[in-house]
Amino acid sequence: MVAARDQEAIIRIARMRYEEKRSQQEIARHLGVSTSTVSRSLRQAMALGFVEIRVVPQSTRRNDYERLLQERFGLETVIVVASGNEESATLETLGRAVADYLMTLLRPDAVIGVSDGRTTAAVARHVRRTDLSGIEVVPLIGGVGGAKLPTHPYEVALTLAHGLGVANRPLPVPAAVDSEETAAALLASPIVRTAFEVIARCDVALVGVGTISKDAAIVRHGVVSAEDMETARTQLKAAGTVCARFYDSKGASIPSWIDSRMLTVTLEQLKAVPWRLGVAIGAGKVSAMKAALDGRLFNVLGTDEQTAAALL
């Protein structure tokens, strides 16, 4: 067991080495200790989990696609990873790369909003602890699917918050309810009202892309019916969804008859967020992704090389 005072000394030496980029000799001179003491402290820092060394192979990134997509859609940043043999492996590679980028956006007192989905869940699994204070994570949409599903927005937010070591703000309601009156009553409750007030202060949004299909997650999990989805496709000409909100082929929000029953961020609110990270992979997502990008629903994109090629 390392004493608290010794832990503080170890952490101080680790910060000087890895954050301030000082050599071991410089640290030793500054602290008045031997270089062997510095070296031993750095080994202890790693053994105790205070320091993580991660190897991120550049071969997983496709800079050529990143440049082309950035120019094509006017994005702030694009992250394209190599496609793996299995979709699950690609998701983990993309999740790790987007998580690394997300870490660079964090500031004290930042609010991070997240949607449901496999890709957002993959990002959440790969964030690292931060020393920044006051950060809060909040779901941008009420419940989609079973409460313990890793893709459920509450679970994505909880995983992200635990990984960062920050606060998690719950949104304990379903994404859609059966009437406008029920939605209004829930929105008036203190815990839900406060959650939406936090959502309005989001600095970073991490969201997936939904397709207009009977196989879409919001249909499979009962947020909208298959009949409503078909009506959205044929009558509203919807091209995709973000946080269960419909948009057209140009990425413009489409008002619908279910809006008043929804407990989720609106697309107008989403576009007011400074950093909007859209993450998705797969041929079936391409048309929905193109529309969202044309509508500037995202200013940062995370995807894989096969999807990137189709987007171009």
Side-chain angles (χ1 to χ4, degrees):
M1 184 70 178
V2 180
R5 181 175 296 180
D6 291 335
Q7 287 188 22
E8 290 175 8
I10 290 168
I11 292 170
R12 184 182 183 192
I13 288 172
R15 287 188 181 282
M16 294 175 74
R17 179 71 183 97
Y18 297 114
E19 293 182 357
E20 299 176 19
K21 308 299 183 186
R22 299 193 191 191
S23 69
Q24 293 190 32
Q25 291 78 12
E26 287 178 305
I27 297 169
R29 284 196 300 269
H30 181 82
L31 298 178
V33 298
S34 66
T35 54
S36 61
T37 296
V38 173
S39 179
R40 183 171 59 253
S41 294
L42 293 174
R43 290 195 300 272
Q44 287 178 298
M46 196 170 298
L48 292 167
F50 298 150
V51 171
E52 291 182 352
I53 295 178
R54 306 176 72 209
V55 178
V56 182
Q58 284 299 309
S59 60
T60 65
R61 294 286 293 272
R62 289 298 306 268
N63 303 116
D64 49 349
Y65 282 124
E66 291 174 351
R67 288 192 298 271
L68 290 170
L69 286 168
Q70 190 170 15
E71 293 170 4
R72 164 68 176 79
F73 294 105
L75 295 160
E76 294 288 341
T77 301
V78 178
I79 299 161
V80 178
V81 300
S83 302
N85 293 329
E86 300 290 337
E87 187 178 73
S88 59
T90 303
L91 279 174
E92 292 306 306
T93 302
L94 179 61
R96 188 177 298 110
V98 175
D100 286 343
Y101 178 75
L102 176 63
M103 299 296 297
T104 71
L105 300 178
L106 300 183
R107 301 291 183 270
D109 301 316
V111 175
I112 308 167
V114 298
S115 77
D116 62 301
R118 293 184 307 150
T119 318
T120 55
V123 176
R125 287 194 291 272
H126 289 287
V127 296
R128 305 180 302 283
R129 292 187 71 82
T130 178
D131 290 331
L132 299 174
S133 63
I135 295 176
E136 194 166 11
V137 181
V138 62
L140 295 172
I141 176 172
V144 179
K148 293 300 181 182
L149 280 175
T151 58
H152 190 285
Y154 175 80
E155 291 296 324
V156 175
L158 190 62
T159 300
L160 185 66
H162 281 181
L164 293 171
V166 301
N168 177 49
R169 170 75 59 174
L171 180 59
V173 291
V177 291
D178 57 2
S179 71
E180 181 177 353
E181 292 74 23
T182 300
L186 287 170
L187 286 168
S189 66
I191 191 169
V192 178
R193 183 177 67 249
T194 301
F196 275 95
E197 288 171 354
V198 173
I199 288 171
R201 296 191 284 106
C202 266
D203 301 286
V204 180
L206 173 66
V207 297
V209 179
T211 60
I212 302 302
S213 162
K214 67 181 187 308
D215 298 319
I218 59 174
V219 176
R220 287 188 285 106
H221 295 305
V223 177
V224 301
S225 67
E227 292 75 16
D228 283 341
M229 183 63 85
E230 181 63 12
T231 300
R233 184 183 71 83
T234 58
Q235 297 185 20
L236 301 183
K237 306 301 181 186
T241 66
V242 170
C243 292
R245 299 287 186 175
F246 294 117
Y247 57 85
D248 64 20
S249 61
K250 297 188 182 299
S253 176
I254 301 177
S256 78
W257 61 97
I258 62 174
D259 283 347
S260 62
R261 298 191 285 109
M262 302 297 288
L263 296 165
T264 172
V265 68
T266 67
L267 296 185
E268 290 75 15
Q269 290 171 325
L270 177 65
K271 290 181 74 171
V273 177
W275 293 101
R276 306 179 302 281
L277 284 64
V279 290
I281 64 170
K285 299 267 187 175
V286 170
S287 61
M289 291 171 69
K290 275 186 178 178
L293 290 166
D294 283 337
R296 301 294 190 267
L297 295 182
F298 320 132
N299 55 9
V300 176
L301 173 66
T303 192
D304 74 316
E305 61 181 319
Q306 292 179 359
T307 311
L311 286 169
L312 293 166

